[in-house]
């Protein structure tokens, strides 16, 4: 067996080493004597192994595979066990196709609902993305298939994706856009990471030494391979120097020649090439596929796709307990072409060739009757179809309208102009809501949409892009065979313009300015106290949960929080218990609260459980760009536990002491509260002895002047009538120690 080490690498010819750092073709690495080539394939929502190896656009068919739900739906499960099991199944499916490294999951954040790849992203929140991403990666890798985590980093729009510069401040970069990569890299140790197309603050990601080497390897300890997205390399030599290992798919012989020449001409240090070649070889060696190929039980995988989807769908609204529709004697009007032609997967690299699509129409219960209602290839109403739908609704006990986007609408490579459903669908929903008391809307969409009719319909079920078992899974939830337990991993604004990033999204061809900084998603809406259509973390059940007995205790290095949750309804159900931290201690811009923990619990009717959270220092930290440190400030916090970001059931104060206490350095620019905050006894003695305390005390005691006094630095106290000689005396005493 070949031992892969630097000695082995040095034994290869220069051309062989150069060949290793570029793809042999669209999907394979090169191979060298003693180490077989390995294959990559897309497939965050099912394996996409192209029939035609040269097809990277997904224009031709790929080999048949089970289409699982997209990440937007999977994330709504908030269920790490489920994601881990999903990873195992996906890994097994990849292994069966001789795939060594699977490209995905994508852990980029959902910053704005217009972004074309939102359906592939997990959440607007880095904790949710990081934890679910970790479970996903661990699952796949436990099945013997490596992961290339993508797209590193700050990829949040598709327009001009190969050249656009994501311009983001350091705090938002660390707290939001890198935090989930950091989590997955450290906790799941993916085989590889895929660098993104875009530039970051002007520097192409493929040449971004700070990110690819400084942060990823030196800070986070990543030891795997860095590969490029397909076509992300601008300058291969510069990329290798910056820390990229493998260019994909590469330019064939030309890429190899470039590298050979660069080494010969002294433009590329041979050590840099050897280092990259070694990392590529390591992946080829560690994730080599055994000759024996396991078989895939498509039927079992289809059932699993159904379970995944049903466990993740989000019941957004359910007035008067309209759902579940579990009375066989009551008739149901099923309306909307999406019931017959469901939108169940995105296009681009997520697209698979499904084995067995079960539409909502095919899976609908016996007492249901279908009317098309609208045409997916039009946005204006078809009067005949509308009349038919209205007539059917009138003679039915319940109406279920399938609404959303046509197949192909959600795709990588393009962004959207609005987040509205086609007019013909919005109009039809409004019309049916006006004539019927029992109207449920089932949504098939990849990201947040507007719902002008939300106040008029009875129930709303968000099914996102549910995979090939869309029909069965949807009816499982609608009929109550599965009690819904999904929660929104993204906020649904009332209007697109409510999202702060809308102001800058696609405003400039060359750059995307992240001026909203850390205020992404609920971090913005909740701080702004803006009405949202449905908040982050929201999702209903057919049962109810009561929260009680919040306990908060600071331990040596962590804060322990416990709360009791009880199922007070008459059905078994699952609840996602969410923990938010309110930071009132730090004097920097802070969101109203931030999600710092979540646990999904499963409870029988009447059953209660205690949920425990261990919050580490990082849960209280913000990123201080001035000294490049995560900073947890001691002081006042609030711990909130609840059912969504807007449904906080329990709250308790916390005086944090495990962090750091402010230690102001006293100068002429210091304020009186700096003196108060100083733990230095010299400062306190000087305050007394100089007479400064006596001079300012009356002004601090006077309600009319206290605020003004607190806002004057020492050198300006003279304007409040304090003798400057006293101030100087104080400063001299402090300086002399
Ligand atoms: C996409 C990647 C994908 C790759 C290979 C690129 O265009 O951005 O997500 O893995 O193609 O298909």
């Amino acid at each position: 067996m070949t031992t892969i080490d630097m000695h082995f690498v040095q034994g290869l010819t220069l051309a062989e080493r150069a060949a290793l750092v570029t793809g042999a073709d669209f999907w394979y690495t090169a191979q060298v004597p003693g180490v077989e080539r390995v294959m990559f394939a897309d497939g965050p929502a099912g394996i996409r192994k192209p029939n035609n190896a040269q097809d990277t656009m997904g224009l031709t068919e790929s080999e048949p595979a089970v289409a699982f739900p997209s990440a937007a739906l999977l994330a709504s499960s908030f269920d790490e066990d489920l994601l881990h099991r999903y990873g195992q199944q996906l890994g097994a499916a990849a292994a069966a196709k001789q795939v060594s490294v699977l490209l995905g999951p994508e852990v980029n954040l959902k910053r704005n609902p217009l972004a074309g790849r939102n359906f592939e992203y997990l959440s607007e929140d880095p904790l949710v993305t990081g934890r679910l991403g970790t479970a996903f990666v661990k699952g796949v890798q436990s099945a013997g298939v490596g992961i290339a985590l993508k797209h590193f980093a700050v990829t949040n729009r598709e327009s001009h994706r190969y050249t656009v510069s994501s311009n983001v401040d350091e705090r938002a970069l660390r707290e939001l856009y890198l935090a989930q990569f950091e989590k997955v890299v450290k906790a799941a140790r993916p085989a590889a990471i895929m660098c993104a197309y875009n530039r970051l603050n002007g520097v192409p990601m493929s040449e971004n030494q700070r990110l690819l080497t400084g942060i990823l390897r030196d800070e986070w300890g990543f030891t795997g391979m860095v590969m490029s997205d397909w076509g992300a390399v601008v300058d291969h030599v510069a990329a290798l120097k910056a820390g990229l290992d493998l260019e994909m798919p590469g330019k064939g012989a030309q890429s190899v020649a470039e590298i050979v020449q660069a080494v010969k001409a002294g433009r590329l240090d041979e050590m840099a090439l050897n280092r990259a070649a070694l990392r590529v070889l390591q992946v080829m060696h560690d994730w080599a596929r055994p000759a024996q190929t396991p078989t895939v039980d498509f039927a079992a995988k289809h059932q699993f796709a159904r379970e995944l989807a049903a466990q993740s769908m989000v019941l957004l609204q359910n007035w008067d307990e309209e759902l579940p529709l579990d009375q066989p004697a009551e008739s149901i009007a099923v309306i909307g072409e999406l019931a017959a032609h469901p939108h169940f997967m995105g296009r681009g690299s997520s697209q698979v060739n499904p084995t067995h699509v079960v539409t909502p129409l095919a899976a609908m219960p016996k007492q249901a009757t279908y009317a098309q209602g609208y045409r997916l290839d039009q946005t204006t109403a078809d009067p005949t179809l509308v009349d038919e739908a209205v007539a059917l609704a009138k003679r039915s006990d319940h109406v279920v309208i399938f609404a959303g986007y046509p197949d192909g609408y959600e795709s990588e490579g393009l962004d959207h102009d609005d987040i509205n459903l086609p007019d013909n669908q919005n109009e039809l929903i409004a019309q049916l809501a006006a004539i019927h008391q029992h109207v449920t809307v089932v949504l098939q969409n990849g990201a947040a949409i507007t719902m002008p009719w939300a106040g008029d319909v009875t129930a709303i079920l968000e099914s996102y892009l549910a995979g090939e078992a869309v029909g069965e899974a949807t009816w499982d939830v609608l009929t109550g065979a599965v009690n819904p337990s999904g929660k929104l991993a993204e906020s649904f604004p009332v209007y697109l313009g409510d999202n702060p990033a809308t102001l800058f999204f696609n405003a400039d061809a060359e750059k995307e300015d992240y001026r909203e900084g850390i205020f992404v998603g609920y971090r913005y809406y909740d701080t702004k106290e803006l009405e949202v259509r449905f908040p982050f973390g929201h999702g209903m059940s057919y049962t109810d949960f009561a929260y009680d007995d919040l306990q908060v205790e600071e331990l040596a290095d962590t804060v322990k929080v416990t709360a009791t949750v009880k199922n007070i309804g008459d059905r078994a159900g699952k609840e996602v218990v969410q923990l938010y931290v309110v930071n009132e201690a730090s004097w920097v811009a802070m969101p109203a609260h931030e999600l710092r923990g979540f646990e999904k619990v499963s409870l029988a009717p009447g059953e209660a459980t205690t949920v425990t959270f261990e919050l580490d220092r990082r849960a209280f930290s913000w990123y201080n760009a001035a000294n490049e440190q995560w900073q947890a400030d001691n002081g006042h916090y609030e711990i909130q536990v609840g059912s969504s970001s807007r449904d906080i059931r329990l709250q308790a104060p916390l005086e944090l002491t495990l962090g750091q206490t402010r230690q102001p350095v006293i100068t002429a620019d210091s304020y009186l509260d700096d003196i108060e905050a100083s733990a230095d006894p010299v400062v306190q003695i000087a305050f007394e002895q100089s007479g400064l305390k006596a001079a300012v005390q009356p002004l601090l005691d006077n309600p009319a002047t206290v605020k003004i006094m607190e806002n004057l630095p020492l050198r300006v106290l003279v304007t409040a009538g304090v003798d400057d000689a006293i101030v100087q005396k104080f400063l001299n005493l402090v300086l002399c120690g």
Side-chain angles (χ1 to χ4, degrees):
M1 185 126 148
T2 314
T3 306
I4 302 300
D5 56 12
M6 201 42 105
H7 184 70
F8 177 82
V9 173
Q10 281 161 346
L12 299 173
T13 65
L14 179 58
E16 282 169 340
R17 282 174 280 152
L20 281 171
V21 298
T22 194
D25 58 26
F26 268 106
W27 304 110
Y28 283 95
T29 63
Q31 67 183 40
V32 291
V35 191
E36 287 291 309
R37 65 179 191 163
V38 299
M39 188 192 179
F40 304 109
D42 281 311
I47 310 303
R48 186 174 80 97
K49 182 174 180 181
N51 283 331
N52 167 6
Q54 300 308 310
D55 172 29
T56 183
M57 302 287 283
L59 298 177
T60 55
E61 276 208 338
S62 48
E63 290 183 12
V66 174
F68 293 104
S70 303
L73 179 58
L74 290 174
S76 311
S77 71
F78 276 71
D79 187 335
E80 287 165 299
D81 290 341
L82 197 69
L83 268 284
H84 190 267
R85 282 204 288 136
Y86 172 54
Q88 286 172 324
Q89 299 259 355
L90 195 62
K97 294 208 180 288
Q98 285 294 319
V99 172
S100 286
V101 176
L102 191 67
L103 309 174
E106 288 123 299
V107 294
N108 301 97
L109 290 193
K110 297 188 189 216
R111 170 176 173 251
N112 185 274
L114 292 173
R117 288 188 97 160
N118 277 331
F119 71 96
E120 291 181 292
Y121 301 155
L122 290 153
S123 174
E124 69 186 24
D125 179 84
L127 181 79
V128 176
T129 307
R131 278 180 47 183
L132 297 180
T134 296
F136 186 142
V137 174
K138 281 187 172 173
V140 173
Q141 296 202 155
S142 73
V145 170
I147 280 289
L149 187 71
K150 62 192 190 181
H151 307 91
F152 189 62
V154 204
T155 299
N156 306 91
R157 87 174 210 200
E158 292 299 286
S159 304
H160 284 69
R161 64 179 176 158
Y162 299 94
T163 50
V164 67
S165 177
S166 300
N167 295 339
V168 60
D169 70 78
E170 189 63 17
R171 197 176 153 204
L173 179 68
R174 294 291 191 145
E175 292 183 22
L176 298 182
Y177 297 101
L178 294 186
Q180 68 281 11
F181 280 102
E182 179 182 359
K183 167 85 183 158
V184 180
V185 163
K186 287 180 175 171
R189 306 181 71 81
I193 198 160
M194 183 193 283
C195 89
Y197 288 132
N198 52 281
R199 292 157 194 265
L200 174 60
N201 296 326
V203 183
M205 273 309 306
S206 58
E207 293 170 30
N208 203 312
Q209 180 150 18
R210 176 164 180 253
L211 270 279
L212 299 189
T213 300
I215 293 180
L216 181 62
R217 294 194 189 278
D218 300 346
E219 270 187 46
W220 300 348
F222 178 71
T223 54
M225 173 182 82
V226 178
M227 69 196 297
S228 75
D229 198 347
W230 270 229
V233 170
V234 186
D235 175 337
H236 197 186
V237 172
L240 286 170
K241 285 183 183 168
L244 185 96
D245 301 313
L246 176 63
E247 174 195 36
M248 285 303 291
K251 301 179 290 287
Q254 190 191 330
S255 283
V256 179
E258 262 170 26
I259 298 303
V260 169
Q261 276 158 19
V263 171
K264 285 187 175 160
R267 280 183 289 109
L268 177 64
D269 180 3
E270 203 165 340
M271 265 319 289
L273 171 63
N274 290 353
R275 196 184 53 206
L278 178 58
R279 292 194 189 119
V280 176
L281 281 167
Q282 202 71 56
V283 166
M284 291 164 66
H285 174 265
D286 293 353
W287 303 96
R289 292 254 50 85
Q292 261 172 340
T293 306
T295 50
V296 176
D297 181 344
F298 282 115
K301 285 223 171 349
H302 179 90
Q303 279 311 311
F304 183 60
R306 173 180 182 169
E307 179 192 343
L308 280 172
Q311 291 295 332
S312 307
M313 289 181 183
V314 190
L315 182 60
L316 294 175
Q317 180 166 300
N318 193 20
W319 291 342
D320 304 325
E321 301 190 357
E322 168 68 13
L323 300 178
L325 300 174
D326 52 4
Q327 302 301 318
E330 293 177 349
S331 58
I332 304 170
V334 171
I335 293 170
E337 195 183 345
L338 281 164
H341 299 117
H343 181 35
F344 63 92
M345 70 173 174
R347 292 296 180 102
S349 52
S350 273
Q351 185 181 341
V352 297
N353 179 9
T355 52
H356 175 48
V357 180
V358 178
T359 68
L361 180 58
M364 73 186 187
K366 286 196 183 63
Q367 75 272 28
T369 312
Y370 171 70
Q372 185 180 337
Y374 57 82
R375 287 177 57 159
L376 279 169
D377 61 356
Q378 288 182 358
T379 56
T380 50
D382 179 319
T384 314
L385 296 181
V386 171
D387 289 349
E388 257 172 45
V390 168
L392 175 63
K394 280 186 176 158
R395 56 175 199 271
S396 306
D397 297 317
H398 300 272
V399 179
V400 177
I401 312 170
F402 285 80
Y405 295 113
D407 181 32
Y409 181 85
E410 238 97 29
S411 174
E412 78 172 77
L414 53 93
D415 295 315
H416 302 298
D417 297 328
D418 64 48
I419 58 168
N420 305 324
L421 292 184
D423 287 347
N424 53 352
Q425 295 188 34
N426 276 336
E427 285 162 22
L428 182 64
I429 296 170
Q431 254 173 297
L432 294 169
I435 58 147
H436 209 289
Q437 298 294 309
H438 300 278
V439 175
T440 296
V441 179
V442 177
L443 293 168
Q444 297 174 354
N445 47 298
I449 55 161
T450 57
M451 300 181 212
W453 33 257
D456 305 319
V457 301
T458 331
I460 306 171
L461 178 68
E462 177 56 78
S463 71
Y464 283 109
L465 308 184
E468 66 175 45
V470 51
E472 296 133 308
T474 304
W475 286 108
D476 284 344
V477 174
L478 290 174
T479 59
V482 170
N483 190 353
S485 62
K487 299 273 188 176
L488 288 181
E490 64 181 318
S491 309
F492 274 45
V494 178
Y495 304 106
L496 170 63
D498 292 344
N499 179 295
T502 300
L503 292 170
F504 321 111
F505 191 80
N506 270 341
D508 190 313
E510 287 163 22
K511 60 188 171 78
E512 179 74 19
D513 290 329
Y514 288 54
R515 292 195 198 160
E516 72 286 353
I518 57 166
F519 293 99
V520 171
Y522 72 88
R523 285 171 167 77
Y524 174 78
Y525 300 122
D526 292 359
T527 308
K528 184 96 171 151
E529 297 182 21
L530 200 64
E531 188 193 341
V532 288
R533 181 63 73 198
F534 293 108
F536 174 83
H538 170 74
M540 302 171 75
S541 166
Y542 296 147
T543 186
D544 288 311
F545 300 95
Y547 285 64
D548 200 8
D549 196 20
L550 177 62
Q551 305 283 343
V552 179
E553 185 189 359
E554 186 175 324
L555 308 173
D557 296 317
T558 56
V559 171
K560 184 178 170 194
V561 178
T562 56
T564 311
V565 183
K566 185 174 183 186
N567 181 345
I568 54 169
D570 54 9
R571 271 171 197 263
K574 294 179 185 168
E575 169 69 325
V576 179
V577 183
Q578 300 159 45
L579 185 153
Y580 296 85
V581 171
V582 181
N583 178 342
E584 289 169 5
S586 304
W587 199 353
V588 290
M590 275 293 165
H593 57 183
E594 292 183 273
L595 186 79
R596 295 301 190 211
F598 63 89
E599 293 300 328
K600 190 161 191 174
V601 295
S602 177
L603 296 170
E607 191 187 358
T609 190
T610 299
V611 181
T612 304
F613 301 93
E614 292 272 345
L615 302 175
D616 60 9
R617 209 170 173 280
R618 179 77 175 259
F620 299 95
S621 298
W622 56 282
Y623 189 78
N624 187 341
N627 59 12
E628 301 183 357
Q629 299 290 326
W630 289 96
Q631 182 169 325
D633 296 316
N634 285 335
H636 190 69
Y637 290 78
E638 185 180 272
I639 301 295
Q640 304 178 330
V641 172
S643 183
S644 86
S645 85
R646 293 282 173 100
D647 185 8
I648 301 302
R649 306 285 183 87
L650 305 166
Q651 39 211 344
L654 166 71
E655 256 343 289
L656 191 79
T657 65
L658 61 74
Q660 69 191 59
T661 303
R662 193 161 70 92
Q663 276 305 347
V665 177
I666 302 297
T667 68
D669 277 339
S670 298
Y671 291 79
L672 290 169
D673 68 349
D674 293 327
I675 297 176
E676 199 185 320
S678 172
D680 183 352
V682 171
V683 171
Q684 300 309 330
I685 292 166
F687 194 37
E688 295 268 353
Q689 284 187 353
S690 62
L692 184 58
K693 186 172 186 191
V696 297
Q697 202 60 55
L699 294 159
L700 290 174
D701 290 343
N702 182 347
T705 51
V706 59
K707 284 277 177 213
I708 293 164
M709 282 303 284
E710 281 172 354
N711 208 20
L712 295 179
L714 297 181
R715 64 181 168 74
V716 185
L717 284 179
V718 64
T719 62
V722 177
D723 185 352
D724 195 52
I726 298 178
V727 174
Q728 292 310 323
K729 191 173 174 194
F730 165 74
L731 289 171
N732 282 337
L733 285 172
V734 170
L735 283 177
C736 298

